[in-house]
Amino acid sequence: MKLYSEQERQLWGEKNRALYEYWLSIHPDQNTLPGRQHLDPMDIPLLLPNIWLVDVESNPIRFRFRLFGTAHYAAMNRDCTGMWIDEAFPDFTRSGFDEDYVNIVETKMPDYRKGPASYHIPNYKTIERIMLPLAENGSDVNMILALTVYF
């Protein structure tokens, strides 16, 4: 598993760093990923508005918003909870935006990004986000825990 160094994390915003460090702290051991069962929202109340959870379906691989924090609702003027990402955002697959999601499932590694806002956030110039794999059985990614801050 790729871990970001303390030096790399110092360049991140406080919320992204806090969620990443929380995710590290809930690992059952060094050889397995945490699952949704290890995540307690009461441990991270200040992060909840920026958090989103994605269910990972396989055969074929597809992604659905399980949770869509209030910061995302405000940024996009809608609640996408329960929606398939490719239906909520039709350019998701056609434009290759799904590659980050697929990569997390296949590599079982987190993904951090700060840069231009993607296709679905026209009112924001920059986002900072972290996407973290969760695996109910410790190895097969079945959910992605993520946090985005909008600028």
Side-chain angles (χ1 to χ4, degrees), residues 17-36:
R17 188 171 51 249
L19 185 62
Y20 180 77
E21 291 171 0
Y22 175 70
W23 177 77
L24 289 175
S25 77
I26 62 171
H27 274 68
D29 59 56
Q30 289 186 352
N31 298 319
T32 59
L33 290 169
R36 170 61 186 90

Side-chain angles (χ1 to χ4, degrees), residues 5-58:
S5 71
E6 182 64 33
Q7 184 177 11
E8 289 172 300
R9 295 191 309 248
Q10 289 305 312
L11 301 174
W12 298 0
E14 182 180 339
K15 289 182 178 182
N16 277 269
R17 188 171 51 249
L19 185 62
Y20 180 77
E21 291 171 0
Y22 175 70
W23 177 77
L24 289 175
S25 77
I26 62 171
H27 274 68
D29 59 56
Q30 289 186 352
N31 298 319
T32 59
L33 290 169
R36 170 61 186 90
Q37 69 271 24
H38 300 106
L39 175 66
D40 185 350
M42 296 303 291
D43 291 339
I44 51 173
L46 298 176
L47 303 179
L48 294 178
N50 296 86
I51 286 186
W52 41 290
L53 283 170
V54 174
D55 288 324
V56 177
E57 299 292 327
S58 52

Side-chain angles (χ1 to χ4, degrees), residues 22-135:
Y22 175 70
W23 177 77
L24 289 175
S25 77
I26 62 171
H27 274 68
D29 59 56
Q30 289 186 352
N31 298 319
T32 59
L33 290 169
R36 170 61 186 90
Q37 69 271 24
H38 300 106
L39 175 66
D40 185 350
M42 296 303 291
D43 291 339
I44 51 173
L46 298 176
L47 303 179
L48 294 178
N50 296 86
I51 286 186
W52 41 290
L53 283 170
V54 174
D55 288 324
V56 177
E57 299 292 327
S58 52
N59 297 327
I61 193 162
R62 201 166 179 208
F63 305 94
R64 180 180 26 227
F65 289 115
R66 173 181 284 256
L67 173 78
F68 205 66
T70 56
H72 309 296
Y73 178 89
M76 297 178 207
N77 293 320
R78 66 179 176 156
D79 182 4
C80 294
T81 301
M83 297 178 75
W84 293 102
I85 297 177
D86 60 325
E87 291 177 352
F89 305 107
D91 287 342
F92 178 72
T93 304
R94 284 192 304 266
S95 300
F97 291 113
D98 61 335
E99 290 176 12
D100 288 344
Y101 295 71
V102 172
N103 191 49
I104 290 166
V105 172
E106 291 176 352
T107 66
K108 304 175 186 187
M109 291 192 247
D111 185 68
Y112 168 84
R113 181 173 90 76
K114 183 173 185 177
S118 297
Y119 57 100
H120 59 279
I121 313 169
N123 299 326
Y124 295 89
K125 293 184 178 187
T126 304
I127 63 159
E128 180 185 32
R129 68 114 175 98
I130 187 84
M131 293 172 40
L132 306 159
L134 296 176

